[in-house]
Amino acid sequence: MDYVTQLRINKAKQLMGQGNERIREIARQVGFSDEYYFSRKFKQQQGVAPTVHMKSRRHRVATYHTAITGQLLALQTISSAAPLDPKWSAYYRQKYAGDIPVHLRDPFDATNWMANREALRRFGPDLIITSDYLDHAVKQELGDMANALFVPWKEKDWRVHLQHQSGDAVCVRQPTHRVCAVQRPATASGLPGGVAFCL
């Protein structure tokens, strides 16, 4: 894909995240006279149609773990807030920095918590997905900000991370799968209540 087309597609992604304009209007704003040609070029570069991209951006999902950001990308879901600390996620920063409007710092460095907490509060996510091995006070504050999913990271593999679920689901539908925020009560074994995540 040529450089100018790539710039146009990147600008279109920004416009898609800002408002409720139609694909036809966005295509014309970035220099495409034919919305169908724009859609083909967009899908060629992004791997999904522009309408799918727009729908996925309506839900304000924050990830507070770099690997979870990667797992969501495998599900064709880009977080709206994610850690893009260059030490841990140079690939994500380079490839997706323009698609992720809220850049968080390394969540496992305690000195970053105050800045990340403020960025998340300003952003106001619908769902925060992170691992379960954060400090208890941090997990509590994340749960107070939004529905929070604490993935059992160390004792489970990636398959379980993606299938972890119970209770009533609120789903973000994607073309071939769904990402669900699932409300669940605290268990007798001491696992915290909160939100789970499923395909």
Side-chain angles (χ1 to χ4, degrees):
M1 183 169 296
D2 67 60
Y3 179 72
V4 173
T5 303
Q6 193 170 20
L7 287 176
R8 288 176 174 171
I9 298 295
N10 288 339
K11 180 62 177 174
K13 289 189 304 186
Q14 289 176 345
L15 293 171
M16 288 175 189
Q18 292 174 357
N20 295 322
E21 293 188 59
R22 295 177 167 262
I23 297 296
R24 178 182 319 126
E25 296 162 1
I26 290 172
R28 287 198 175 112
Q29 286 181 33
V30 298
F32 289 90
S33 57
D34 180 355
E35 71 181 281
Y36 300 106
Y37 179 71
F38 165 73
S39 292
R40 283 194 308 273
K41 286 297 188 181
F42 189 96
K43 186 169 183 175
Q44 183 181 24
Q45 181 178 339
Q46 297 301 305
V48 295
T51 53
V52 172
H53 180 82
M54 286 179 74
K55 287 177 184 175
S56 73
R57 303 306 287 170
R58 289 185 187 146
H59 302 281
R60 300 170 66 86
V61 176
T63 54
Y64 201 61
H65 190 288
T66 304
I68 292 171
T69 304
Q71 288 179 343
L72 287 181
L73 289 170
L75 298 173
Q76 297 182 347
T77 300
I78 298 174
S79 302
S80 296
L84 291 176
D85 186 285
K87 177 180 174 186
W88 299 108
S89 56
Y91 172 78
Y92 298 133
R93 176 181 284 281
Q94 179 182 11
K95 183 138 175 94
Y96 298 103
D99 295 328
I100 300 173
V102 179
H103 298 187
L104 303 173
R105 298 177 185 170
D106 178 9
F108 301 105
D109 180 346
T111 61
N112 291 331
W113 169 239
M114 291 178 67
N116 286 340
R117 177 180 58 195
E118 187 57 35
L120 286 167
R121 282 196 176 135
R122 280 193 313 268
F123 172 61
D126 299 321
L127 173 66
I128 301 170
I129 306 172
T130 188
S131 68
D132 64 347
Y133 62 91
L134 291 171
D135 178 70
H136 179 72
V138 171
K139 289 197 288 190
Q140 182 66 43
E141 285 196 61
L142 290 172
D144 290 345
M145 279 185 233
N147 285 325
L149 164 62
F150 302 102
V151 176
W153 200 257
K154 290 187 178 181
E155 66 263 3
K156 304 293 181 184
D157 70 9
W158 65 270
R159 289 172 193 87
V160 175
H161 298 168
L162 296 177
Q163 295 171 344
H164 186 67
Q165 67 173 328
S166 68
D168 299 318
V170 176
C171 296
V172 178
R173 298 202 182 273
Q174 298 296 328
T176 58
H177 61 276
R178 65 183 197 264
V179 178
C180 299
V182 181
Q183 199 66 26
R184 71 164 190 264
T187 65
S189 63
L191 290 174
V195 182
F197 169 41
C198 67
L199 292 176

